[in-house]
Amino acid sequence: MKVSEVSDALGLKQLNAPDEDREVTGGYSGDLLSWVIGRAAPGDAWMTIMSNVNVAAVGLLADVSMIILAEGVEPDEPLLQKAALNGIGLYSSPMGAYELSWRLKGLLEK
Amino acid sequence: MILSYDFHLHSCLSPCGDDDAYPTIMAGMAKAAGADASALTDHNASRNCRAFLAACEAYELIGLTGMEMTTSEEVHVLCLLPSLEAAAELEKYVRERQMDIRNKPDIFGWQFVTDENDVVISEEKRLLITAASISVSATPDLLASLGGIAIPAHIDRSSFSLLSNLGAFDRDMGFPTVELSTAADPKALVKAYPALSGVPFIVDSDAHRPGDIPDITHTLESDGTKPEDIIRALREGSGLERL
């Protein structure tokens, strides 16, 4: 399923959408950045409540297909800038990580 | 004696540190900003402390070794130590418990070990900012066993801090002193976390670039100029401001 399809189905707000055709192959939910670096798989949609600039660097290193900021958290300005600069898909949702994960799993299993 | 300080400096060994942030230059800038005592605290690494101490001696600055440790909870803990040997021992301990992830310099920045002449000795290939499997609650005893002190770093920040990641301060954790960022509002902090009331605090720059060290206005009271004296003063909260 493409990033754009996940975004539409979950009603996400686009913060930076450079590659909407990239395939979302799984999901990872977590906020401790070291764990994300170590455990998220390339192509995952990463759901987190962290919103600082480190999120962009970690998303890039883990090669996730998209980052979804959960619980309606607002990204810091440096995060928006770094996401734009590095072509990282950044989205947000008022839903919590549990709800987002549950719905994403349903979508990916369709 | 009253000593002004900045105990939280990074160098070019920290991935987020400026490539021009040679440990020697950071020592010089701390001195220029008015520090009597300082420490180099790169992320989970201490190998630039040798060059830092050499520069401290040249600039007549009291130099401590150390690192900024990333605990398993991703809480940053300022670790201050009295010697290169103790710092090397701590680095070994942390390294054995840290995820082995390769650094990507184009994403996180370079990690260089340099000598006292600002010559690059080696490039650290492992990403240094990741967490070690050491709990924040284990750090006071760990540092004490090495003659040092563990201080929760920039507790007022919304990421990588004891308050942001654990949600509370508890004196029983064993931290005699906490660190605030230069942007902190101590009164607001105590209002939000009453358990902090009366706890001694230090304020450090957490400078990652040579130009990031502001004029130093915070002081402590020490009965000597050896690193051990400074660490004892920090343990006792001697001459420190209190929350």
Side-chain angles (χ1 to χ4, degrees):
Chain A
M1 177 170 267
K2 289 177 179 165
V3 166
S4 58
E5 294 168 310
V6 170
S7 175
D8 289 345
L10 297 178
L12 304 179
K13 180 180 169 189
Q14 285 186 8
L15 300 170
N16 190 53
D19 184 6
E20 293 247 274
D21 289 333
R22 183 156 176 203
E23 202 68 19
V24 178
T25 50
Y28 188 84
S29 172
D31 307 311
L32 291 185
L33 301 180
S34 302
W35 284 76
V36 181
I37 291 173
R39 305 293 173 97
D44 277 355
W46 170 31
M47 289 145 283
T48 181
I49 54 161
M50 297 299 273
S51 57
N52 60 59
V53 66
N54 301 305
V55 166
V58 168
L60 203 55
L61 186 69
D63 192 25
V64 297
S65 54
M66 63 194 301
I67 300 170
I68 308 173
L69 304 182
E71 310 272 8
V73 296
E74 294 288 331
D76 293 355
E77 191 56 37
L79 171 56
L80 283 174
Q81 287 170 4
K82 189 140 185 173
L85 191 68
N86 291 296
I88 299 164
L90 189 65
Y91 299 78
S92 78
S93 167
M95 285 185 271
Y98 170 77
E99 177 110 22
L100 284 167
S101 302
W102 182 77
R103 290 187 184 215
L104 179 67
K105 178 120 175 114
L107 290 174
L108 295 179
E109 282 178 352
K110 260 187 193 169
Chain B
M1 65 192 73
I2 307 288
L3 299 173
S4 55
Y5 64 83
D6 189 339
F7 294 123
H8 192 155
L9 304 179
H10 291 268
S11 76
C12 48
L13 181 53
S14 293
C16 41
D18 208 80
D19 289 346
D20 297 331
Y22 297 102
T24 54
I25 298 206
M26 297 308 280
M29 293 306 280
K31 178 71 178 184
D36 299 311
S38 191
L40 185 68
T41 52
D42 283 308
H43 291 291
N44 302 300
S46 67
R47 267 164 295 150
N48 269 352
C49 287
R50 183 174 295 280
F52 179 77
L53 286 192
C56 284
E57 198 177 340
Y59 293 125
E60 296 182 336
L61 181 67
I62 303 167
L64 276 65
T65 60
M67 68 170 61
E68 183 176 22
M69 190 196 293
T70 312
T71 71
S72 56
E73 304 89 348
E74 288 198 346
V75 172
H76 285 185
V77 175
L78 193 68
C79 300
L80 301 179
L81 290 157
S83 67
L84 287 172
E85 292 72 25
E89 201 168 323
L90 182 63
E91 178 170 325
K92 182 168 177 284
Y93 186 88
V94 170
R95 208 173 170 81
E96 285 167 353
R97 289 159 178 80
Q98 189 185 37
M99 293 183 198
D100 188 3
I101 305 222
R102 302 289 91 182
N103 181 34
K104 288 193 176 170
D106 54 330
I107 299 175
F108 286 98
W110 294 98
Q111 304 177 144
F112 291 127
V113 179
T114 60
D115 69 8
E116 68 275 20
N117 298 313
D118 302 337
V119 174
V120 174
I121 301 170
S122 62
E123 182 207 338
E124 171 60 58
K125 303 280 192 190
R126 182 194 286 199
L127 180 60
L128 287 173
I129 53 169
T130 59
S133 58
I134 302 167
S135 171
V136 64
S137 59
T139 57
D141 284 350
L142 174 62
L143 268 290
S145 75
L146 296 166
I149 182 171
I151 300 173
H154 43 65
I155 62 164
D156 53 296
R157 292 230 184 112
S158 59
S159 56
F160 299 120
S161 86
L162 187 139
L163 294 179
S164 72
N165 288 22
L166 299 190
F169 178 80
D170 182 348
R171 278 178 190 253
D172 291 342
M173 291 186 93
F175 295 109
T177 300
V178 297
E179 183 197 52
L180 306 189
S181 76
T182 52
D185 177 349
K187 282 203 180 98
L189 212 51
V190 174
K191 200 171 173 195
Y193 302 94
L196 282 167
S197 181
V199 173
F201 68 92
I202 57 174
V203 180
D204 296 315
S205 69
D206 193 4
H208 285 70
R209 285 173 286 273
D212 280 355
I213 307 176
D215 285 347
I216 288 160
T217 54
H218 299 278
T219 58
L220 56 74
E221 189 165 359
S222 173
D223 52 15
T225 57
K226 291 200 291 291
E228 292 84 350
D229 301 324
I230 306 292
I231 288 168
R232 191 168 57 249
L234 289 169
R235 274 198 207 119
E236 294 167 356
S238 175
L240 295 181
E241 297 155 87
R242 284 172 189 266
L243 283 162

